[in-house]
Structures are given as C-alpha cells and as structure tokens.
C-alpha cells in the first residue's frame, strides 16, 4: 500500500513539474519513461542531500 501511495504522490509531483495533469501523463508516458523520471529525480535528490551534508561538514 505504501508503494502505491508513493507512486501516486510521484505522479502528481511529475505532473506538476511538467505542467500536465496526471491523466495526461498516464496517457502519454510509457512505463520506461516513467521509470526513467523516477530514477532521475531520485538521483537528483541524492545529489542535493550529499551537497547539504558536505556543506554542514564544512562549517
């Protein structure tokens, strides 16, 4: 259940970022492209987290 909630939350996040509705995304994105977007934003979040930790260590 939690995975489904996370997927739905990400669908709304991605739709917002792309200026589209969730329904539009579901119609136009392939499963492969959806997975690629999740990987992209996951890695982006990791890089941001590492940068924040690096800044905190430098204080």
């Amino acid at each position: 259940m939690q995975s489904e909630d996370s997927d739905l939350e990400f669908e709304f996040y991605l739709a917002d970022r792309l200026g589209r509705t969730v329904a539009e995304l579901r119609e136009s994105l392939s499963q492969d492209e959806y997975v690629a977007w999740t990987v992209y934003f996951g890695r982006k979040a990791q890089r941001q987290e590492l940068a924040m930790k690096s800044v905190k260590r430098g204080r």
Side-chain angles (χ1 to χ4, degrees):
M1 182 74 159
Q2 187 173 353
S3 177
E4 291 175 10
D5 291 343
S6 296
D7 288 343
L8 183 59
E9 184 177 355
F10 182 74
E11 283 185 272
F12 276 95
Y13 172 78
L14 184 58
D16 182 57
R17 295 284 300 187
L18 298 178
R20 305 190 54 200
T21 67
V22 171
E24 289 171 335
L25 288 182
R26 288 178 177 172
E27 287 181 17
S28 64
L29 256 62
S30 69
Q31 183 66 26
D32 287 345
E33 186 176 4
Y34 178 80
V35 169
W37 277 112
T38 63
V39 170
Y40 169 78
F41 280 112
R43 288 182 178 168
K44 184 176 179 180
Q46 286 176 331
R47 286 191 302 272
Q48 289 173 336
E49 186 176 340
L50 289 172
M52 293 289 287
K53 286 181 180 180
S54 179
V55 167
K56 287 181 181 180
R57 276 188 255 135
R59 287 184 179 178

